[in-house]
Amino acid sequence: MKTPVSVLRLPRGPDPNSRGFDPSSPRFIALCPTSISACNEPGTDAGSLQTEQHARSMMRERFLRCLLSMANKQIQFDMYERVKVNATFGASDIDVLNFQVSDLQTPIGVQSEALIRCQDVISYSFDM
Amino acid sequence: MNTTSAWRQRTPRDWERYVNKQVHVTAHGQQQHRGWLHTVDPVTASVVLVRLGDAAGGCSVSVVMGHAVEQVEVVGEADEETAMRLSSLFRPKEREARAGGGGGERELRRRREALRGWLQKNRFPVEEVGEELLVAGVLTVRPPYAEQDCLSSNQIVLARVQGLVARMPAPAGQTSYDLVNYRYS
């Protein structure tokens, strides 16, 4: 009889019925500061909340479309400690904390698939 | 004061003021970036900078991660043409360009009628609102009435209707000559 293997319980994924990231998840609280500042200030009215939310949606939509256009393009990542690497962009996670890339060119060889932590990245660039 | 987190603490209305401006960004490690500010991501405060090429459309894009931004300085304003180019930069091809290739007004009307009939046959209530179709009160189909022209905030209805649009059969009674097999179909 084979030795039983302990079951690996993965953390729960995002709620499939919700529209986006979960601001109460420990991961989000630890790694992404809140930017809903209008809610935190006392004395804000519905009008200013609405304009703030409009600004947020407009800017987030532009950013998401930028991410979409990066798919399958060659990106150059500038990271800390003067590390510069090239890779083909695959996808980003919803909090923009990790990028999935292919053919990551590193000084010790090419990684066919890799996850890059966005916190290690200073900037990245690509050509349209 | 920790300068790197100061940028992230700004409000979205502050960030919005930098959109469509030419800026100079200082990042960690004295990295300097210059370009047109396309957007600031409200979740990570990352700054998307664009350097526009010639009018043909090539351009290069740099994104500075929010946690690495130290300073953002405005050095110029965009004129109307640049602002238009910036806002349409990552958008999909204009609908009009696709609709124009389809044969004009009559063709669009025919497709709208065909789609309306098909959806109603599949038990979806459809209403014509101007040139658009309103499906079940929650989904809008714009010209030229293809799968990617469906708009809805309800993802379940969107998926079902897009599937239906993709499976819509060619209109009955329309014969065409099949050049591969040399016959009418």
Side-chain angles (χ1 to χ4, degrees):
Chain A
M1 175 148 127
K2 290 188 183 165
T3 324
V5 178
S6 60
V7 174
L8 176 67
R9 290 201 177 277
L10 295 173
R12 277 186 62 176
D15 181 0
N17 298 320
S18 73
R19 303 280 304 279
F21 37 79
D22 177 11
S24 60
S25 71
R27 184 165 172 265
F28 189 88
I29 291 172
L31 297 169
C32 296
T34 180
S35 66
I36 314 179
S37 42
C39 296
N40 297 335
E41 281 162 30
T44 47
D45 59 355
S48 68
L49 255 182
Q50 194 174 33
T51 44
E52 171 161 322
Q53 189 54 24
H54 179 83
R56 281 169 59 89
S57 334
M58 185 272 287
M59 293 194 289
R60 181 70 171 171
E61 186 193 351
R62 284 188 169 205
F63 182 74
L64 291 175
R65 288 196 189 276
C66 169
L67 272 184
L68 265 178
S69 72
M70 274 166 64
N72 300 323
K73 292 208 168 75
Q74 272 282 92
I75 317 279
Q76 182 184 33
F77 292 94
D78 287 339
M79 306 173 76
Y80 288 95
E81 305 297 328
R82 290 189 294 277
V83 172
K84 290 189 204 304
V85 289
N86 286 316
T88 305
F89 186 75
S92 161
D93 69 354
I94 202 161
D95 302 317
V96 195
L97 288 171
N98 294 291
F99 287 153
Q100 177 255 318
V101 296
S102 318
D103 295 327
L104 177 69
Q105 325 263 337
T106 72
I108 53 166
V110 177
Q111 292 288 334
S112 58
E113 303 291 338
L115 268 184
I116 293 186
R117 280 196 316 191
C118 293
Q119 296 194 291
D120 297 339
V121 176
I122 298 177
S123 69
Y124 57 91
S125 57
F126 60 100
D127 291 328
M128 287 270 297
Chain B
M1 175 155 115
N2 182 356
T3 51
T4 52
S5 66
W7 175 250
R8 285 195 284 181
Q9 309 293 1
R10 309 273 282 266
T11 68
R13 301 245 291 278
D14 278 342
W15 291 325
E16 197 185 10
R17 265 177 253 192
Y18 291 92
V19 172
N20 287 349
K21 304 271 194 298
Q22 196 170 33
V23 296
H24 188 94
V25 178
T26 310
H28 176 95
Q30 285 90 45
Q31 268 194 24
Q32 310 284 336
H33 297 266
R34 189 181 261 255
W36 296 104
L37 192 141
H38 181 256
T39 190
V40 177
D41 176 30
V43 173
T44 58
S46 303
V47 177
V48 178
L49 295 171
V50 176
R51 272 171 302 283
L52 296 169
D54 54 19
C59 62
S60 90
V61 182
S62 300
V63 179
V64 183
M65 301 300 301
H67 59 81
V69 171
E70 288 182 355
Q71 198 188 13
V72 180
E73 207 186 304
V74 176
V75 296
E77 293 262 349
D79 59 13
E80 209 173 298
E81 193 195 320
T82 310
M84 288 261 319
R85 268 187 85 181
L86 282 175
S87 59
S88 62
L89 197 52
F90 299 112
R91 296 200 156 262
K93 288 195 302 291
E94 286 302 315
R95 299 189 332 262
E96 288 71 34
R98 289 195 289 117
E105 268 293 333
R106 219 158 12 125
E107 175 68 14
L108 278 185
R109 203 169 336 140
R110 186 196 65 72
R111 290 177 65 127
R112 186 167 70 233
E113 288 307 310
L115 180 58
R116 186 164 78 142
W118 174 240
L119 289 171
Q120 283 173 331
K121 193 165 163 194
N122 281 275
R123 312 239 187 279
F124 274 99
V126 185
E127 210 183 289
E128 270 196 38
V129 179
E131 285 195 343
E132 302 176 340
L133 291 176
L134 183 64
V135 182
V138 293
L139 184 145
T140 303
V141 191
R142 296 185 301 197
Y145 315 107
E147 239 180 285
Q148 59 264 51
D149 303 309
C150 300
L151 300 173
S152 178
S153 59
N154 183 321
Q155 58 204 32
I156 297 172
V157 174
L158 181 65
R160 290 213 48 208
V161 172
Q162 278 182 325
L164 264 187
V165 174
R167 288 197 304 276
M168 184 165 80
Q174 184 180 58
T175 52
S176 57
Y177 190 69
D178 182 0
L179 283 171
V180 174
N181 297 311
Y182 300 107
R183 56 166 188 189
Y184 283 96
S185 61

